[in-house]
Amino acid sequence: MGNVNTPGYTREVAVFDENVPISLNGLTYGTGASVTEIQSQRDRVLEQSVDQQTQAEAASATRLTALQNLEGVFSSVTSTGATTANGGISSSLSGFFTAVTSLEGNPSDTSLREGVLSAATSLAESFSGAVNALQQQQASLDAESQSVVTQVNALAKSIAGLNQQIQTLDPDTDAGTLEDQRQYDLNQLSQLIGINQITTENNGLTVTTTGGALLVSEGASYALSSAPSGGVTHYSDSFGADITTALASGGGQLGGYLTTRDQDIPQVESALDALAGGLATKLNSIQESGATAAGASSAGSPLFNVPAAGRVPGSVAGGITVAITDPSLVGASSGGAGPSDASNAVLLANVQNSPLITLNQGGNPYNVSSATSPTNYLADFVATLGSLVAQTSSLNTAQQASLTQTQAQRNSLSAVNTDDEASTLSLLERSYEASSKVFTILDEIFASAINLGDDTPVT
């Protein structure tokens, strides 16, 4: 029972065999029993099932945590990147259109024009603040993935060393503590990365990633290597092949980190690019069709500087800035209509609920197949992200339940049960007491036989 809390310990059972009896004067006398071996109570099928379910649960749990952090960006990031309960792109978007609507009532008011530029700056900064927060999360996930790979390489080396020790033993001999340690390392490894296991001669193991990259082959380990690529860390097998994509879908914490880093965050950034780019381009078009406070054409004064769409997600949303600083250049009126005209300001305000973003790019769940307004697009975007978080949470809950059930099956065979051990100990104590009583009685009987004629009580 002393090993009940020892991590990785497998319950061991003594196997007894009858000793060779002896014969004297035609009578056969037993000589008791001896322990012939100690057997570890383990089932490799159950152990591998635990490892497989561990890597699946670890992947979804890691991704869930990352997605929840990702979701928090759109409820807490303000225009300056600080946190507040009511901040975020939604608040800045609403604030901008409120400022433009206020300008409709008095387009010649300089303070209202300044309010529009201030709100436009807040909107641009809220986009860049969100992208900056996403990039920080991506960098954090990248660092976590590097740490995981370092641990994977260390565990692979340890397993290879244990393989070598186990294979030097008699194949029919229970490796006991060595196998316990190897199985413990395998379970730790499965929490970090998706693995496959193949039993080899002399009780050895070959371990690969779920994508087939070699990690351990009997007594040799094969380290994963890393190198920067596209702003993030990519991973290669021992032959130099890039296996980053395979690792992302392979399971374990590494799979969860890489899925969010390489799939979830870039998709969110691309969605923000579509919203920010589509909105700013439409507002620029209306702004440039209007007239300034002095009545001049505002065609050369776009409201926003919009970066050209590039291959890097988030480059548009993260790079938009306000193009003008002079409030008189806001094109609130139509050309020739005079400074009190607000017809162009009305058009700017109507963008809030006008269909303008049309996307149908496969692979990004945040994209839409028909034109929608900025307000609806943002609402759908947040709802889609929330749905992904909920789906991942449900998946992880189901995987936790399945893992717990399989661990219970494994533990019923391999773990130390204090109740069973106490019962066995009590049985042995009673057996010892009974044997002792028999010898006491025999001793008294022999004493009576030797002292014939004397009154020798037998108890």
Side-chain angles (χ1 to χ4, degrees):
M1 287 193 291
N3 288 302
V4 65
N5 294 317
T6 302
Y9 178 78
T10 299
R11 184 167 63 93
E12 296 180 337
V13 175
V15 178
F16 293 90
D17 196 11
E18 182 183 7
N19 294 333
V20 178
I22 61 175
S23 297
L24 293 173
N25 299 324
L27 298 175
T28 300
Y29 299 92
T31 57
S34 299
V35 176
T36 58
E37 64 175 317
I38 302 295
Q39 288 184 348
S40 298
Q41 303 300 292
R42 62 168 56 87
D43 185 317
R44 293 194 182 281
V45 174
L46 274 176
E47 294 288 1
Q48 289 196 26
S49 181
V50 169
D51 291 343
Q52 290 169 353
Q53 293 185 42
T54 295
Q55 63 199 35
E57 190 279 332
S60 63
T62 302
R63 187 186 184 194
L64 175 60
T65 299
L67 285 172
Q68 289 171 334
N69 292 335
L70 190 61
E71 189 178 33
V73 169
F74 300 97
S75 61
S76 63
V77 174
T78 64
S79 59
T80 59
T83 57
T84 179
N86 299 315
I89 296 174
S90 178
S91 177
S92 296
L93 188 64
S94 176
F96 173 77
F97 286 111
T98 296
V100 175
T101 301
S102 298
L103 184 61
E104 292 178 24
N106 190 1
S108 61
D109 190 318
T110 300
S111 64
L112 293 179
R113 287 172 170 271
E114 289 175 342
V116 170
L117 292 184
S118 177
T121 300
S122 295
L123 179 58
E125 289 181 349
S126 93
F127 278 118
S128 62
V131 171
N132 182 59
L134 293 172
Q135 290 175 344
Q136 289 179 359
Q137 289 192 17
Q138 195 172 40
S140 176
L141 294 171
D142 188 72
E144 293 287 355
S145 72
Q146 294 179 52
S147 174
V148 167
V149 169
T150 299
Q151 295 175 67
V152 166
N153 289 338
L155 284 169
K157 186 175 181 179
S158 174
I159 292 168
L162 290 166
N163 259 349
Q164 202 166 34
Q165 295 180 66
I166 291 170
Q167 287 181 298
T168 62
L169 302 176
D170 185 330
D172 297 324
T173 301
D174 187 275
T177 304
L178 291 175
E179 281 208 58
D180 288 348
Q181 183 60 55
R182 184 175 67 177
Q183 185 54 52
Y184 179 76
D185 285 352
L186 284 167
N187 189 253
Q188 295 300 303
L189 186 63
S190 67
Q191 293 181 31
L192 301 174
I193 190 172
I195 59 172
N196 290 324
Q197 307 171 39
I198 303 171
T199 303
T200 61
E201 291 182 328
N202 299 328
N203 202 18
L205 278 180
T206 292
V207 183
T208 70
T209 67
T210 50
L214 191 61
L215 296 175
V216 177
S217 179
E218 299 191 347
S221 63
Y222 299 84
L224 301 179
S225 58
S226 62
S229 177
V232 294
T233 304
H234 277 230
Y235 300 99
S236 302
D237 62 16
S238 57
F239 301 100
D242 191 324
I243 58 172
T244 307
T245 301
L247 291 175
S249 60
Q253 293 178 10
L254 184 60
Y257 287 135
L258 294 180
T259 297
T260 306
R261 187 198 75 175
D262 298 340
Q263 175 181 309
D264 297 326
I265 290 179
Q267 287 180 345
V268 168
E269 289 175 327
S270 294
L272 289 180
D273 283 345
L275 174 58
L279 175 61
T281 300
K282 182 64 175 179
L283 291 172
N284 280 350
S285 174
I286 297 173
Q287 156 73 12
E288 292 172 357
S289 69
T292 66
S297 171
S298 57
S301 304
L303 187 57
F304 294 100
N305 293 314
V306 184
R311 298 181 61 184
V312 179
S315 58
V316 176
I320 286 180
T321 58
V322 176
I324 57 178
T325 57
D326 185 352
S328 68
L329 296 180
V330 174
S333 60
S334 298
S340 61
D341 176 64
S343 56
N344 220 46
V346 172
L347 295 177
L348 289 172
N350 289 342
V351 170
Q352 181 175 15
N353 297 307
S354 299
L356 62 96
I357 301 172
T358 304
L359 289 173
N360 189 15
Q361 301 170 4
N364 191 337
Y366 304 100
N367 288 342
V368 296
S369 57
S370 59
T372 186
S373 69
T375 303
N376 289 339
Y377 183 91
L378 183 59
D380 291 343
F381 163 82
V382 173
T384 301
L385 180 56
S387 177
L388 179 60
V389 172
Q391 291 172 12
T392 306
S393 178
S394 297
L395 174 63
N396 180 250
T397 299
Q399 289 173 335
Q400 283 180 344
S402 179
L403 175 59
T404 300
Q405 183 179 27
T406 306
Q407 286 174 329
Q409 291 177 327
R410 189 269 311 274
N411 291 343
S412 67
L413 171 68
S414 301
V416 176
N417 186 303
T418 53
D419 292 336
D420 289 345
E421 296 299 323
S423 175
T424 300
L425 182 60
S426 177
L427 177 62
L428 291 173
E429 289 175 342
R430 294 296 182 188
S431 298
Y432 178 81
E433 291 173 357
S435 299
S436 177
K437 189 69 174 178
V438 168
F439 281 103
T440 299
I441 292 173
L442 288 175
D443 185 57
E444 293 175 348
I445 290 174
F446 284 131
S448 296
I450 292 173
N451 300 302
L452 291 176
D454 294 337
D455 186 15
T456 305
V458 177
T459 59

